Amino acid sequence: MAETLTGAQALIRSLEHEGVEVVFGVPGGAILPAYDPLLDSPIRHVLARHEQGAGHMASGYAHATGRVGVCMATSGPGATNLITPLQDAYMDSVPVVAITGQVATKSIGMDAFQEAHTWGISMPCTKHNYLVTTVEELPDVIAEAFHLAATGRPGPVLVDIPKNVLNAEMQWHRPGAIDLPGYKPSVKGHPRQVKAAVRLIHESERPVLYAGGGIIKANAADRLRRFAEQANLPVVTTLMARGAFPDTHPLALGMPGMHGNYTAITAMQRSDLLVAIGARFDDRVTGDVSTFAPEAKVIHVDVDPAEIGKVRTADVPIVGDAGVVLEQLIEAMDRLLDGEEPPAREAWFAQLRTWQEEHPLTYEQDPNGPIQQQYVIEKLHELTGGDAIVVAGVGQHQMWASQFWRFTRPRSWINSGGLGTMGFAVPAAIGAKVGRPDDLVFAIDGDGCFQMTSQELITAATEGIPIKVAVMNNGSLGMVKQWQRLFYGGRYSAIDLTTQVPDYVKLAEAMGCVGLRAESPGEVVPTLEKALAVEDRPVVVEFRVDPDAMVFPMVPAGASNDDVVLGPEDLA
Amino acid sequence: MKHVISVTVENKPGVLARISSMFARRGFNIHSLTVGPTEDPRLSRMTVVVDGPEMEQIVKQLYKLVHTVKVTELEPGETIEREIMLVRVNADPTRRGELLDAANLFSAKVVDVGATTVTFEVAGEPSTLNDFLELLRTYGIVTLVKSGRIALAKDQKSTTRRGRLRTA
């Protein structure tokens, strides 16, 4: 016998059917009906202090687990506060489903209380979105939303549900088969292109495997490694792909791009073949496109055909899932090699080693000087054995974390790459910790970023989500300061945050966390040890860091990757 | 260079907004866009005339929209293109005769006659419409409205290769 449910009950049951274990959200008028059946559901609700926090938590959860993250908000301001996390998830291809309440259908367009045109506002920052107008379609819409978020190129999907639809009654039915005639993501690469690719790879003398975030999205790190070893290819891992290939591997070149290391940047620049997998030739990677990797042919593997040829023409385009195509490449390479060794490429590897020796990532920690952020990151890595999920905000600390942490596993690095959302770290770390409670989750944040979303530490403290946050306090918007110093003649404009206010220790304690502070290099290790010893509460550790430090190497915006700036002296 | 694309989309609320929003967001220029139902009530067909060199990206980005079912770039010469326009021109009584003769040559229908103006309806190939407009300029065009182009490939063979790409 069919069961009569309200739209709200059908929504929660649909979420249960999708295997949702947690929803990050903030209730309010229009979404109220959905919060009632949530009380009777095994789904955990984490009450964020701001909808932006809820959105980034859902993203952090998805980044860390690979499952779809879910956030929920009310109409109007609740929905508009989700826009930043949605765009963030869209840029970084993160599977997120956002549920928003909407004013009743008869009030739509009447400028009702807390009305916003959520469907229209969220259209350009979601993979797809819905305005549900009848209660009967709810189960199908939720099933479609999860399908779209998780398959093909993952991304955020928003479902806007008017209050009367949530209150209306329906006969519960399980969703039917997904019916999306215009949505058929390619999974398998074209065999002829795969064959052409391995031939090109085999013949190349200076190849670089350019691994992007798609490797992690496709859970393909194991196959990436197998293929790199099989074909003897050096590997660069972009900001979104850190952890997709172990930094400790002899073939690893580390991160390319604006703040990448000299060898990774220059290897791409001088290569005769770029094998891009799950990467999108972002401007932060290519620098000036017209002078990027001028001698390189390009094999471009991506699940999204629109990425292929968008920035750089591909000689061999392959549309498909990174993991599936890698398997095809491995198989085709196996056949091509037929038991032989891959080309040794001795000259190329010798060149790469020379660059690595000549231009390693370096910094100096003066024992009597201010704390360097790189030192904190290295010590944290030592103390944890690298066994942590590192979450970063956006700016100098993010670049140093990416440069100096030795990543060895996928999903151990979570950051906002495409959108560059300051304030991402604290809520994303909370989401990651909820998804992987047994892992150590350590956010490395800047003081500017931290002040944008630190209120979510109240969420962490009250919900029992013991994350750790390192606040790199240089008293300024450090990356902006760096640019003003380098490109605006040192005229500092609106970058001063002050070092003293807020008092991060007191602020942490006020939010129910442990607050710690290290002011000199000698205090770094003992303070980190104290932080790591806390297990029952979130911890905030403030590091008073060098206010004048700058991130290098650097390819200035719009410059060619031939012109890597290794230090301030190069710009004189 | 203008290109004509035929886009078959699911007939769902907001699908026109999705397409036009995508064009705006990606910085692609729309010259004209028409939309209407097809032989299948579940589908609508849009004819979009676009300007610019980014055809491959436009086709791929169209496919990326979930409600897009098929995108075909129509090849000039392999395509039936039609447009309708209403045009009101100054029609001095002394020149009315020659104006009507000219209109006759273009199979333009007189749909409204005023004290000093005549309004024509013309349907046909876009180039024919443009030729007629050129001719009317000497009389003085008062108001012009065009429907935008509708187009159909002459047969399935004119579907271009990139028109068949699928999307994630």
Side-chain angles (χ1 to χ4, degrees):
Chain A
M1 197 190 113
E3 203 181 342
T4 305
L5 295 186
T6 65
Q9 289 167 333
L11 166 67
I12 301 303
R13 186 169 296 181
S14 298
L15 295 179
E16 289 168 5
H17 274 293
E18 295 297 334
V20 173
E21 55 170 5
V22 57
V23 170
F24 304 93
V26 182
I31 196 69
L32 261 171
Y35 272 81
D36 187 74
L38 206 49
L39 284 173
D40 306 318
S41 168
I43 295 174
R44 176 183 185 187
H45 182 268
V46 173
L47 175 60
R49 265 45 176 181
H50 187 288
E51 290 86 354
Q52 184 192 353
H56 291 316
M57 287 175 203
S59 276
Y61 174 89
H63 272 289
T65 63
R67 297 195 290 273
V68 177
V70 183
C71 54
M72 192 148 83
T74 196
S75 63
T80 56
N81 281 342
L82 281 180
I83 296 303
T84 299
L86 287 173
Q87 178 68 15
D88 187 274
Y90 193 43
M91 296 282 275
D92 285 344
S93 307
V94 188
V96 166
V97 168
I99 312 280
T100 51
Q102 181 55 278
V103 301
T105 44
K106 68 172 177 13
S107 302
I108 289 178
M110 301 301 289
D111 304 310
F113 177 65
Q114 291 193 331
E115 182 183 359
H117 182 34
T118 304
W119 183 83
I121 297 171
S122 62
M123 186 199 299
C125 56
T126 51
K127 182 172 173 183
H128 196 60
N129 64 357
Y130 295 87
L131 171 62
V132 181
T133 51
T134 61
V135 68
E136 286 74 23
E137 62 184 309
L138 246 177
D140 286 332
V141 166
I142 297 297
E144 272 181 30
F146 276 79
H147 178 71
L148 287 169
T151 58
R153 179 179 185 172
V157 178
L158 179 137
V159 183
D160 198 29
I161 315 175
K163 191 170 185 178
N164 60 311
V165 173
L166 289 170
N167 284 328
E169 289 192 339
M170 66 168 313
Q171 299 300 308
W172 168 255
H173 57 88
R174 276 173 170 271
I178 301 285
D179 177 28
L180 294 166
Y183 180 77
K184 295 183 182 70
S186 299
V187 174
K188 211 173 154 195
H190 195 292
R192 196 173 45 209
Q193 300 290 70
V194 169
K195 220 171 142 185
V198 292
R199 212 175 309 122
L200 212 52
I201 291 167
H202 192 67
E203 288 161 5
S204 67
E205 292 172 4
R206 303 185 308 281
V208 173
L209 210 167
Y210 162 27
I215 299 284
I216 292 173
K217 300 296 179 319
N219 294 316
D222 55 333
R223 281 152 285 178
L224 176 72
R225 180 173 177 164
R226 262 165 52 210
F227 183 59
E229 288 171 351
Q230 174 198 34
N232 195 28
L233 303 173
V235 182
V236 298
T237 43
T238 68
L239 181 64
M240 293 312 296
R242 304 290 290 131
F245 191 78
D247 285 330
T248 46
H249 196 285
L251 290 169
L253 301 184
M255 180 174 74
M258 181 175 269
H259 291 295
N261 71 74
Y262 180 88
T263 307
I265 299 168
T266 311
M268 291 179 92
Q269 215 40 17
R270 299 277 74 83
S271 77
D272 65 352
L273 178 67
L274 289 175
V275 186
I277 307 183
R280 60 183 176 85
F281 293 82
D282 179 80
D283 57 85
R284 259 33 185 181
V285 167
T286 62
D288 171 34
V289 178
S290 66
T291 54
F292 172 67
E295 295 138 47
K297 289 195 169 179
V298 172
I299 296 168
H300 195 170
V301 180
D302 207 289
V303 73
D304 178 357
E307 286 304 343
I308 296 174
K310 185 181 83 177
V311 175
R312 172 80 177 240
T313 306
D315 298 277
V316 182
I318 304 180
V319 180
D321 173 86
V324 175
V325 174
L326 272 166
E327 243 158 55
Q328 292 177 279
L329 288 169
I330 290 167
E331 220 175 279
M333 187 57 86
D334 241 350
R335 251 182 317 217
L336 183 77
L337 292 174
D338 195 20
E340 301 283 311
E341 290 294 310
R345 302 188 176 100
E346 278 158 12
W348 182 228
F349 280 103
Q351 174 66 76
L352 295 174
R353 268 190 299 278
T354 307
W355 285 332
Q356 282 173 325
E357 281 157 22
E358 283 173 359
H359 304 292
L361 287 169
T362 56
Y363 72 97
E364 271 171 43
Q365 177 60 66
D366 176 351
N368 302 312
I371 300 171
Q372 300 301 324
Q373 299 190 34
Q374 299 96 314
Y375 179 71
V376 177
I377 292 157
E378 284 201 331
K379 289 296 151 191
L380 179 60
H381 188 274
E382 270 175 42
L383 290 171
T384 58
D387 192 9
I389 299 172
V390 180
V391 187
V394 171
Q396 290 183 315
H397 67 277
Q398 173 195 27
M399 291 299 114
W400 280 316
S402 180
Q403 288 179 341
F404 283 89
W405 195 269
R406 306 280 282 168
F407 294 98
T408 55
R409 288 185 316 272
R411 302 195 189 280
S412 61
W413 166 246
I414 297 172
N415 84 134
S416 167
L419 193 63
T421 311
M422 287 177 66
F424 176 81
V426 169
I430 292 170
K433 183 74 180 170
V434 169
R436 285 166 59 182
D438 298 333
D439 285 83
L440 170 65
V441 177
F442 220 117
I444 296 173
D445 214 0
D447 48 346
C449 288
F450 182 79
Q451 289 184 37
M452 289 193 178
T453 51
S454 60
Q455 82 286 344
E456 297 307 340
L457 282 165
I458 305 167
T459 308
T462 53
E463 298 267 353
I465 307 165
I467 60 163
K468 303 193 197 308
V469 184
V471 180
M472 304 294 194
N473 179 8
N474 58 8
S476 66
L477 298 169
M479 190 61 95
V480 179
K481 185 178 176 184
Q482 175 169 343
W483 282 47
Q484 289 179 348
R485 183 161 156 196
L486 297 176
F487 310 122
Y488 291 86
R491 284 161 54 85
Y492 295 134
S493 177
I495 45 95
D496 186 16
L497 297 169
T498 81
T499 324
Q500 309 294 333
V501 183
D503 180 324
Y504 290 97
V505 173
K506 282 186 185 164
L507 180 61
E509 286 169 354
M511 293 191 286
C513 307
V514 174
L516 302 168
R517 176 180 294 131
E519 296 184 77
S520 64
E523 290 170 20
V524 168
V525 169
T527 312
L528 281 172
E529 281 171 341
K530 264 188 231 163
L532 290 167
V534 179
E535 285 179 353
D536 60 336
R537 270 172 297 166
V539 186
V540 176
V541 200
E542 176 198 359
F543 294 93
R544 291 280 173 90
V545 296
D546 185 353
D548 296 316
M550 292 196 281
V551 185
F552 290 104
M554 177 175 196
V555 178
S560 164
N561 279 1
D562 287 327
D563 303 319
V564 183
V565 176
L566 293 167
E569 63 283 355
D570 287 1
L571 281 166
Chain B
M1 168 89 182
K2 287 196 174 60
H3 301 264
V4 183
I5 332 171
S6 180
V7 190
T8 310
V9 296
E10 285 189 80
N11 181 12
K12 299 244 173 159
V15 67
L16 175 61
R18 288 185 197 281
I19 303 253
S20 55
S21 162
M22 187 280 288
F23 272 85
R25 181 161 57 95
R26 297 274 173 191
F28 303 141
N29 271 330
I30 301 179
H31 178 75
S32 76
L33 189 155
T34 61
V35 57
T38 65
E39 67 285 357
D40 181 340
R42 293 168 303 173
L43 300 174
S44 300
R45 185 166 288 118
M46 294 187 186
T47 307
V48 195
V49 181
V50 294
D51 256 332
E54 318 96 331
M55 274 313 294
E56 181 172 331
Q57 262 299 301
I58 291 175
V59 171
K60 285 175 168 178
Q61 293 295 343
L62 280 167
Y63 264 127
K64 210 162 145 172
L65 300 171
V66 170
H67 290 324
T68 304
V69 177
K70 187 165 174 59
V71 184
T72 313
E73 190 187 340
L74 299 172
E75 302 283 359
E78 298 286 323
T79 305
I80 308 154
E81 293 180 58
R82 289 295 179 271
E83 194 165 12
I84 186 166
M85 71 175 177
L86 296 171
V87 56
R88 179 165 297 156
V89 290
N90 287 321
D92 192 278
T94 61
R95 297 183 70 190
R96 224 170 246 202
E98 58 176 280
L99 177 61
L100 292 176
D101 284 347
N104 214 13
L105 289 173
F106 286 91
S107 306
K109 247 164 63 185
V110 176
V111 289
D112 188 33
V113 179
T116 59
T117 64
V118 175
T119 306
F120 296 104
E121 171 201 311
V122 205
E125 289 197 25
S127 61
T128 312
L129 267 56
N130 286 338
D131 290 348
F132 185 49
L133 276 178
E134 275 309 305
L135 190 143
L136 292 183
R137 279 188 209 289
T138 60
Y139 296 87
I141 296 168
V142 181
T143 315
L144 168 69
V145 55
K146 281 178 150 187
S147 64
R149 219 176 289 192
I150 57 169
L152 204 60
K154 280 186 180 162
D155 60 42
Q156 289 306 309
K157 282 177 212 140
S158 59
T159 306
T160 58
R161 184 188 58 77
R162 62 176 167 227
R164 292 207 194 93
L165 277 177
R166 305 304 309 182
T167 190

